Amino acid sequence: MTTAPPVVGAQQVLARCRTLVEPALREAVASLHPWPHRMASFSLGWCEADGTPAAGGGGKGVRQALAVLGAEAVGAPREHAVAAAVAVELVHTFSLLHDDIMDGDERRRHRASAWKEYGTGPAVLAGDALFALAVEKLAGSAGPHSAQALGLLAGAMRSLVHGQAEDLLFETRPWTGPAAVTAVAYEAMAAAKTGALLACALTLGPVLAGAPGAVTDALAAAGRDLGTAFQAVDDVLGIWGDPAHTGKPVHADLRRGKKTLPVLAALAAGGEAGRRLRALLGAPLDAEAARRAAHLVEEAGGRAAALALARERAASARSRLEAAPLAPEARRELLELADHLTDRRV
């Protein structure tokens, strides 16, 4: 899978939105206690572990960009776009801090994750601080619809927690048999764990601006589709992604025994490769066994199936965005970003 030409445009969109949002985001994080402030700044890529300014940047800012574009798509004022983007980015960073602890991930964005750098307890504290800050900033946003926006954010968080709980429980279930994870269960998990926050990002600004329900519903549905597509691509990257781009070891998800879509699809396909994969997954995988498992997943069609689902859901999101009454330029940028989310480098 290669990077598609629209990525250049998507990178410009991401950069524009980061420039718009970052001053308000930094101001919000600076209001925290100095210790959570440092950990949050480290997680956002603004500083090194000792607090010295970082040479590089943090994440791409996909969710904050979706928040800005969702607001612009309905003609919402700039302050609503920024308020929505700040809240979404704070919640996203909070979720990453806690997810890395739950998953035992020691690397994030090419360096140690926050819990490895500062300890588990401090990283939990930093995540809690960011979540509280997101609620505070959104509650303080101007306009008559802030309560509705808070309800939307709370609902997204409830879905995210539900999806994360399912993802963790999937790891305790067998690979085959009546208790095995199905593709339908996987898609429901992905829509909750990843899709809920993307849906929230796209709709928070419009809700703050009082946009019609039909428009926010279309944006939310597009966000859930994009979330499922994004998670499917993430699963592919978790097995075959280049560590230079993902910041995580190759075959990391296989070695952890995560129930990801490529593996589930490969097992469901059957055939000789699927049978050999099933036998291999019955024991812990060392580096060589993980390499063989990755080859079998691909041979059985698991990688192709995951990418096919990503393309299907991305196409659905595009159709929803094209059908909704949105500002043309914002729609164009949203479509570029949607392409970028499903054409990330493997």
Side-chain angles (χ1 to χ4, degrees):
M1 187 175 183
T2 58
T3 304
V7 165
V8 174
Q11 296 292 5
Q12 293 171 343
V13 172
L14 291 168
R16 177 180 72 81
C17 293
R18 280 197 304 269
T19 299
L20 175 65
V21 175
E22 188 166 315
L25 185 61
R26 284 182 179 269
E27 181 181 1
V29 173
S31 69
L32 295 173
H33 180 282
W35 197 23
H37 170 235
R38 177 181 292 186
M39 290 185 283
S41 297
F42 173 80
S43 298
L44 286 159
W46 297 340
C47 73
E48 304 298 343
D50 62 1
T52 58
K60 294 180 176 62
V62 167
R63 289 154 187 82
Q64 61 180 291
L66 289 174
V68 169
L69 295 177
E72 292 177 347
V74 301
R78 174 173 172 159
E79 57 266 27
H80 290 335
V82 172
V86 167
V88 166
E89 191 64 22
L90 291 171
V91 166
H92 175 55
T93 307
F94 143 74
S95 72
L96 295 182
L97 279 161
H98 284 199
D99 283 0
D100 283 346
I101 295 168
M102 287 183 277
D103 293 343
D105 285 339
E106 299 183 359
R107 303 288 294 174
R108 167 74 59 182
R109 295 168 183 164
H110 307 285
R111 58 182 182 171
S113 52
W115 72 271
K116 284 298 292 183
E117 197 65 63
Y118 298 100
T120 300
V124 170
L125 178 66
D128 292 345
L130 288 173
F131 179 59
L133 185 61
V135 173
E136 178 188 339
K137 291 300 177 182
L138 192 57
S141 59
H145 304 290
S146 59
Q148 184 182 354
L150 277 173
L152 177 65
L153 184 67
M157 279 306 307
R158 182 174 180 178
S159 292
L160 189 156
V161 169
H162 181 96
Q164 178 69 1
E166 288 292 284
D167 195 26
L168 290 172
L169 286 171
F170 284 176
E171 296 184 28
T172 69
R173 291 167 62 175
W175 287 106
T176 59
V181 179
T182 65
V184 172
Y186 170 89
E187 287 194 48
M189 178 279 295
K193 177 183 174 181
T194 309
L197 192 54
L198 268 63
C200 179
L202 274 174
T203 54
L204 205 53
V207 165
L208 283 171
V215 176
T216 58
D217 287 348
L219 288 169
R224 285 190 291 272
D225 280 338
L226 282 177
T228 303
F230 188 94
Q231 186 62 54
V233 174
D234 252 16
D235 284 358
V236 173
L237 291 169
I239 297 177
W240 296 282
D242 182 351
H245 296 286
T246 66
K248 295 185 178 182
V250 69
H251 303 150
D253 284 353
L254 273 174
R255 296 192 67 176
R256 279 194 56 224
K258 281 187 70 69
K259 305 296 192 297
T260 59
L261 183 59
V263 183
L264 296 175
L267 291 172
E272 178 59 25
R275 286 191 291 272
R276 289 164 58 198
L277 176 64
R278 187 177 300 113
L280 194 59
L281 294 174
L285 303 180
D286 59 18
E288 176 56 26
R291 186 193 64 76
R292 293 200 307 272
H295 175 76
L296 290 169
V297 171
E298 185 156 18
E299 185 180 338
R303 178 171 176 164
L307 294 177
L309 176 67
R311 288 191 292 269
E312 177 188 319
R313 289 294 178 267
S316 176
R318 288 184 63 90
S319 296
R320 297 181 193 279
L321 293 171
E322 288 168 347
L326 306 176
E329 180 61 16
R331 188 206 316 274
R332 182 188 67 78
E333 293 187 334
L334 278 171
L335 292 173
E336 285 186 351
L337 196 53
D339 288 341
H340 174 54
L341 295 183
T342 51
D343 285 317
R344 289 170 292 155
R345 186 177 300 175
V346 175

